[in-house]
Amino acid sequence: MTGIDLDRWEVVIGLEVHAELATRTKLFSAAPNEFGGAPNTHIDPLTLGLPGSLPVLNEHAVELAIRVGLALNCTVQRSVFARKNYFYPDQPKNYQISQYELPINVDGWLELPSGQQVGIERAHLEEDTGKSTHVGGGGRIHEAEYSLVDLNRAGVPLLEIVGRPDLRTGEEARAYVSELRAILVAVGASDGKMEEGSLRVDCNVSVRERGAAELGTRCEIKNINSLRSLGRAIDYEAARQVDLITAGDRVVQQTRHWNEDDGRTHTLRSKEEADDYRYFPDPDLVTLDPDPSWIERVRLALPPLPAARRHRLAETAGVPLEQTALIVERGLDELCLAAVAAGADPARTITHAEHNLSDERARALDPAAFAALVGMEVGGQLTATQAKAVLAELVEQGGDPVAIAAARGYEAMDDAELEGLVDGLIAEHPEEWARFCDGDGKITGFFVGKVMKATQGKADGKAVTALLNSRKG
Amino acid sequence: MSATGPDARAIAAAVRAGERTAAEVLEEHLGRIAAREAELHAFNHLTEDAARAAAAAVDAAVAAGQDPGPLAGVPVALKDNLCTRGVPTTCSSRILEGWCPPYDATVVTRLAAAGAVAVGKTNLDEFAMGSSTENSAFGPTRNPHDTTRVPGGSSGGSAAAVAAGFAPLSLGSDTGGSIRQPAALCGVVGVKPTYGLVSRYGLVAFGSSLDQIGPFATTVADAALVCEVIGGHDPADSTSLPEAFPELTPHLADGVDGLRVGVIAEMMGEGISPDVAARVRSAAEALASAGAVVEEVSVPAVTHGLSAYYLVAPAEASSNLARYDGVRYGNRVDAPTAGEMMEATRTAGFGDEVKRRIMLGTYALSAGYYDAFYGKALKVRTLIREDFDRAYASHDVLLSPTSPTTAFPLGAKVDDPLTMYLNDVCTIPTNLAGHPAMSVPYGTGDDGLPVGVQVLAPARGEVAMFRTAAVLEGSLR
């Protein structure tokens, strides 16, 4: 299978993300909501689906759902819990309590770091299922010798966030999930760990010829366990569909399973033989109608969200929006803003934050010290290389950049001293100097390197280059 | 006729005053059980040992100068669909045979806290689906007044236990008449409270939006006392109303002077046995002579109650009973795959009536049929509520027969589900509306068997309902 001709084909992607909400207890009972634990220890009568047990809605889960809804610019509305009926051994009641016709959050959007807006159709509350382990027969339920059921996860609150099919590439899909995860973490709704399954991504992919008005038939891909897999699965699935259509075949609507090992998607089940879930309102629960004043309190308590933080940083520092993404992701935007407020050069501040502050401890950096360092560099007291070294030490140990620079012997070189050094080198290396004068740019590094060696890195590379150019005559 | 002992209030008063011991009271009732249980089969499971321990605890409390509560030393029987910690709870189904819940239903906890002594779990139609207790996997219960006849159902065991003097009180559950109809057929008082006034936590669900727990008793005052003990808000049930059960006992002697009583016209004609209708008229006259304003009233939508009920209740049941799959608890029939194991377990574990209702409900909720069946039934439900509201705008309580006939012979209707369903034609509309209603014994029919009169009230209308019931009870003395 080869890459598809994107001039002819358009890939349409919509994602359904299940986020486990970071509550202390389950969605409808007091059993603990914790990852791991010995099998079947985080349980109680409701988790087991015991006769006579009844669900009682977890208020904190509702608050987290509202936080996410507001962060995704959704309308928070009156909602109803429904039963989705289907038999499966790890589904204790053989129905899942979810929201169907009336979800708590509808009609929102999120903004990617590129500025692109992606629509959110709904974000609704539901309970998670348990986990089955099929022993023997290749791990699939139909051929297994026996199956083990662990209900620790059953009843854990999930928010299912259904995105609109606004995405067109694997890269956009990855950016969407990253952004969503950042929002979930920012509002404290979820830890966003894909590897622990607290963030699970199902992906709907279809293809159509560019300009076509109708969407193509879509396939849903499950079992995507990382952002990398998401991109790969989309690329594979889009190519598979294009190949089918090009060969005169048609795409069949179905659920497909991503296999990380062979890098392909495989048929899981056809939608045409799909279950009838017989949804109906759960009579054990009442309508969820959050008080408007509660919603307002939640809205006011929301922290600044990634998109707003990116915009603020870009505007304040006068840099393009894209340049702020990594900084905000690392949580360094407040530091940058404070440094700029303390007088640091915005462009230099942003460059350092983007390239030289990947260390997690950078978030604790003293903005005044950071600003002072940037000032020393811009003022010519430190070279770029020296500034980077001082910054690294500031991150590791803190302190005063002036003192650190002095301790390291980073004193700005005397102009006369540098001139003498450069003139000496020109005299010692006439051949190289001739090449430099002929405009061979590559030879610049030769002279700069010699100067750096002689000065143990104290010289400013830019100053050396300027000096060389001035000697060309 | 059956012989019952003293009523619950008399027992509790004597025990609290130290005049009788709970142990003595218990043994007297266990003696009556020993004498007649083999013949009646009111119980699925007796808990004599636990009962003796509970009675001893009550006596110890009294001896220590403490008050064990308003039901001190009163034996109670519990329908076997109420969860009891460590005690088998079967719903009279093979699928749950031997299963012991790890927790008590809220009503069981509240009864125990009031000093009551649980003596056992009573027989019912499997998962409360039926009107004769013949659908029990463990054999039918017989009517103490005539053992060739059914006690009604589904709470037939609880009704028979009180009628036979096995306990002065019992609890049942009422989804479409399962307390009131057997109360009528066994000649005892039976109450279905307002939906939400008694917690359903620990009641094994049949039709969750209709199910309500309530008491059987020999007197109206005893039934009122039980409602006060078991009722009121429970945070474990999301559909529980955020309020206490209305105080009833202080109002039992208030009478019905000026009370507006309507006799439901649609429940007095076709399909109602003339001798039963005659008892209702006689009850209406008794109320009128006690000062009530009595007239006939039409509640047209109630005629659609049965049809709507047999869509709503089975639909909810089909989902509620999905959990009985052999995976986690209850009986399992092994098979090669998980799916086949579930199928084999359910095929062997459920009786015919339960399967019939699961199929009905599954069909009613299916894609493409939902609007025509379940959706329409919900609309009928709204119409019934509206028609009742209109009737209650000018009436405080309504009156009707509880059951169209007196107790019928065992086997008479068991092969004809539709005829069996008609037993609940007078009781079902109340469940659909979420209102309270109760059955009060009011003499006998032509066959000498008990007739019950149903008193209906609007939501939270229990005080007027009990005042009316108390006057009816008094008018027979």
Side-chain angles (χ1 to χ4, degrees):
Chain A
M1 209 160 302
T2 54
I4 60 175
D5 176 4
L6 287 174
D7 289 335
R8 182 177 168 199
W9 297 98
E10 184 180 40
V11 185
V12 177
I13 304 154
L15 299 182
E16 288 171 21
V17 173
H18 287 83
E20 284 184 353
L21 296 177
T23 52
R24 211 168 43 77
T25 56
K26 292 186 176 179
L27 184 54
F28 296 113
S29 81
N33 169 20
E34 281 166 29
F35 180 72
N40 297 311
T41 53
H42 301 162
I43 56 168
D44 62 1
L46 189 86
T47 306
L48 287 169
L50 291 189
S53 60
L54 289 173
V56 177
L57 183 58
N58 181 334
E59 189 179 326
H60 188 50
V62 176
E63 171 162 345
L64 295 182
I66 294 174
R67 279 192 213 167
V68 176
L70 294 174
L72 294 175
N73 307 292
C74 290
T75 303
V76 180
Q77 61 173 16
R78 177 181 153 272
S79 61
V80 169
F81 286 98
R83 294 186 184 177
K84 179 181 182 180
N85 295 285
Y86 65 97
F87 282 85
Y88 202 79
D90 62 21
Q91 171 93 276
K93 305 180 295 298
N94 286 318
Y95 61 80
Q96 178 191 28
I97 306 178
S98 180
Q99 296 189 314
Y100 184 54
E101 283 183 340
L102 289 171
I104 181 165
N105 300 305
V106 291
D107 278 336
W109 48 270
L110 66 70
E111 186 184 299
L112 302 183
S114 65
Q116 181 189 353
Q117 286 195 351
V118 182
I120 305 287
E121 190 184 314
R122 55 192 278 156
H124 69 254
L125 279 164
E126 62 182 29
E127 54 178 353
D128 208 344
T129 60
K131 272 184 185 164
S132 295
T133 308
H134 306 298
V135 182
R140 298 185 66 134
I141 186 169
H142 296 295
E143 300 106 42
E145 279 171 49
Y146 60 94
S147 298
L148 299 170
V149 174
D150 176 8
L151 296 176
N152 283 355
R153 199 183 68 181
V156 162
L158 293 176
L159 195 69
E160 180 174 339
I161 303 151
V162 182
R164 295 196 188 278
D166 293 347
L167 303 163
R168 294 295 176 267
T169 66
E171 200 42 55
E172 284 180 11
R174 291 170 53 156
Y176 170 83
V177 175
S178 293
E179 184 65 18
L180 188 53
R181 180 164 61 184
I183 292 170
L184 290 166
V185 172
V187 302
S190 176
D191 63 18
K193 291 179 184 166
M194 276 185 98
E195 64 281 9
E196 288 184 4
S198 40
L199 201 69
R200 304 198 282 272
V201 180
D202 297 336
C203 178
N204 286 295
V205 177
S206 66
V207 298
R208 63 177 169 187
E209 295 212 52
R210 285 203 181 272
E214 304 269 306
L215 289 172
T217 304
R218 71 173 187 273
C219 289
E220 185 181 6
I221 312 170
K222 290 191 177 285
N223 193 44
I224 296 169
N225 298 318
S226 67
L227 285 184
R228 184 170 166 272
S229 305
L230 177 62
R232 287 177 72 204
I234 289 169
D235 291 345
Y236 172 85
E237 180 59 21
R240 187 188 71 87
Q241 293 183 13
V242 167
D243 281 358
L244 275 175
I245 297 167
T246 315
D249 241 327
R250 69 185 184 98
V251 176
V252 180
Q253 188 177 343
Q254 57 185 201
T255 303
R256 299 180 65 85
H257 185 91
W258 167 251
N259 185 322
E260 189 65 46
D261 298 330
D262 68 6
R264 292 162 181 261
T265 62
H266 300 269
T267 307
L268 201 63
R269 60 176 178 268
S270 166
K271 280 282 176 193
E272 282 155 14
E273 60 195 49
D275 295 315
D276 173 0
Y277 292 121
R278 294 180 273 103
Y279 282 101
F280 74 105
D282 191 330
D284 287 333
L285 290 159
V286 294
T287 301
L288 172 58
D289 201 356
D291 196 88
S293 67
W294 183 26
I295 298 173
E296 261 332 287
R297 280 199 306 279
V298 174
R299 190 194 301 277
L300 291 172
L302 283 181
L305 295 166
R309 288 161 57 192
R310 289 193 298 264
H311 278 283
R312 185 168 169 223
L313 186 59
E315 278 154 29
T316 308
V319 296
L321 198 56
E322 287 87 338
Q323 223 187 325
T324 60
L326 192 62
I327 296 172
V328 167
E329 198 183 308
R330 289 191 189 141
L332 297 175
D333 46 325
E334 285 299 327
L335 171 70
C336 292
L337 289 168
V340 169
D345 175 66
R348 226 28 233 157
T349 303
I350 294 297
T351 305
H352 276 300
E354 216 183 348
H355 300 291
N356 303 330
L357 289 177
S358 57
D359 192 311
E360 274 197 19
R361 289 170 293 181
R363 256 176 283 176
L365 195 59
D366 173 20
F370 184 32
L373 172 91
V374 172
M376 288 164 76
E377 186 190 357
V378 172
Q381 292 108 300
L382 287 177
T383 68
T385 316
Q386 288 169 337
K388 192 174 162 183
V390 173
L391 184 57
E393 191 171 329
L394 272 177
V395 168
E396 275 177 37
Q397 294 162 19
D400 171 17
V402 176
I404 294 170
R408 287 174 168 250
Y410 291 165
E411 286 144 41
M413 284 193 64
D414 192 62
D415 285 352
E417 195 186 337
L418 190 61
E419 278 177 42
L421 194 59
V422 169
D423 291 339
L425 284 169
I426 291 171
E428 279 170 45
H429 303 282
E431 266 179 52
E432 286 80 2
W433 178 241
R435 278 169 60 193
F436 181 84
C437 292
D438 288 347
D440 181 353
K442 280 181 280 183
I443 204 73
T444 313
F446 169 82
F447 287 104
V448 173
K450 290 273 178 203
V451 174
M452 288 298 174
K453 199 175 169 193
T455 62
Q456 290 168 324
K458 268 194 260 177
D460 180 350
K462 273 188 245 160
V464 176
T465 311
L467 209 51
L468 287 168
N469 284 326
S470 74
R471 290 293 187 272
K472 258 200 302 195
Chain B
M1 272 302 291
S2 68
T4 57
D7 66 48
R9 296 216 307 178
I11 292 170
V15 170
R16 286 165 111 176
E19 292 156 12
R20 295 189 71 189
T21 65
E24 202 178 288
V25 171
L26 174 65
E27 293 308 327
E28 180 189 308
H29 286 86
L30 291 179
R32 275 200 284 269
I33 293 170
R36 271 197 100 185
E37 169 60 9
E39 177 193 15
L40 298 180
H41 185 216
F43 288 98
N44 283 341
H45 188 83
L46 283 165
T47 51
E48 295 106 319
D49 293 345
R52 289 191 173 105
V58 168
D59 289 334
V62 173
Q66 295 154 357
D67 180 7
L71 293 174
V74 178
V76 295
L78 304 168
K79 190 176 183 180
D80 201 15
N81 61 353
L82 294 168
C83 286
T84 41
R85 188 186 182 104
V87 176
T89 299
T90 68
C91 298
S92 289
S93 181
R94 293 273 173 227
I95 212 158
L96 277 177
E97 196 173 0
W99 178 68
C100 293
Y103 66 102
D104 280 326
T106 298
V107 290
V108 173
T109 308
R110 289 185 180 179
L111 280 179
V117 173
V119 294
K121 307 295 291 287
T122 60
N123 199 13
L124 63 150
D125 286 298
E126 186 176 4
F127 284 103
M129 297 176 187
S131 310
S132 68
T133 316
E134 291 168 289
N135 294 333
S136 166
F138 310 128
T141 296
R142 289 167 185 273
N143 193 314
H145 296 272
D146 177 348
T147 55
T148 67
R149 308 219 169 211
V150 302
S154 67
S155 313
S158 286
V162 171
F166 293 172
L169 299 175
S170 65
L171 291 187
S173 65
D174 190 316
T175 308
S178 280
I179 292 173
R180 290 160 288 160
Q181 184 257 15
L185 269 48
C186 289
V188 297
V189 178
V191 183
K192 183 207 98 74
T194 298
Y195 185 81
L197 273 183
V198 178
S199 168
R200 292 185 296 117
Y201 184 74
L203 166 66
V204 181
F206 160 20
S208 312
S209 73
L210 305 159
D211 296 342
Q212 194 64 182
I213 297 168
F216 290 92
T218 57
T219 68
V220 171
D222 276 2
L225 180 56
V226 177
C227 286
E228 289 165 341
V229 166
I230 65 173
H233 182 65
D234 177 13
D237 175 0
S238 308
T239 62
S240 164
L241 294 170
E243 62 205 52
F245 205 98
E247 268 203 336
L248 302 172
T249 305
H251 298 289
L252 290 176
D254 285 2
V256 293
D257 193 23
L259 209 72
R260 299 162 304 167
V261 179
V263 179
I264 302 175
E266 287 78 6
M267 294 182 184
M268 291 297 284
E270 202 191 336
I272 307 297
S273 210
D275 56 339
V276 170
R279 293 307 302 153
V280 177
R281 273 186 215 100
S282 155
E285 282 159 22
L287 293 173
S289 51
V293 182
V294 184
E295 60 180 10
E296 200 164 81
V297 61
S298 175
V299 189
V302 298
T303 53
H304 301 298
L306 201 69
S307 323
Y309 175 86
Y310 276 97
L311 291 167
V312 174
E316 293 180 7
S318 71
S319 177
N320 284 331
L321 271 63
R323 66 188 63 194
Y324 308 108
D325 58 7
V327 173
R328 296 163 309 281
Y329 50 79
N331 287 318
R332 175 190 293 179
V333 178
D334 273 319
T337 69
E340 286 161 6
M341 181 277 284
M342 290 180 180
E343 197 178 319
T345 296
R346 292 166 66 81
T347 301
F350 290 138
D352 287 347
E353 184 60 28
V354 171
K355 286 176 187 160
R356 184 155 37 236
R357 298 205 196 185
I358 289 173
M359 286 189 281
L360 264 174
T362 303
Y363 190 75
L365 289 175
S366 296
Y369 297 100
Y370 183 96
D371 290 342
F373 294 120
Y374 190 72
K376 196 166 237 173
L378 293 185
K379 286 187 187 129
V380 172
R381 201 169 174 176
T382 305
L383 286 180
I384 289 174
R385 206 173 285 138
E386 286 169 359
D387 277 7
F388 269 124
D389 285 348
R390 265 188 286 278
Y392 287 123
S394 50
H395 299 87
D396 299 300
V397 296
L398 302 177
L399 220 56
S400 81
T402 304
S403 168
T405 65
T406 56
F408 46 91
L410 269 87
K413 301 181 180 180
V414 77
D415 295 324
D416 185 356
L418 288 181
T419 308
M420 187 71 93
Y421 295 170
L422 284 171
N423 271 292
D424 298 327
V425 70
C426 299
T427 46
I428 276 172
T430 330
N431 299 81
L432 289 169
H435 294 166
M438 66 192 287
S439 183
V440 186
Y442 210 71
T444 55
D446 293 345
D447 50 13
L449 289 165
V451 169
V453 168
Q454 182 176 225
V455 185
L456 306 86
R460 302 175 169 91
E462 270 85 352
V463 171
M465 182 176 87
F466 270 88
R467 280 169 57 196
T468 310
V471 167
L472 288 178
E473 183 182 56
S475 72
L476 288 181
R477 287 208 189 100

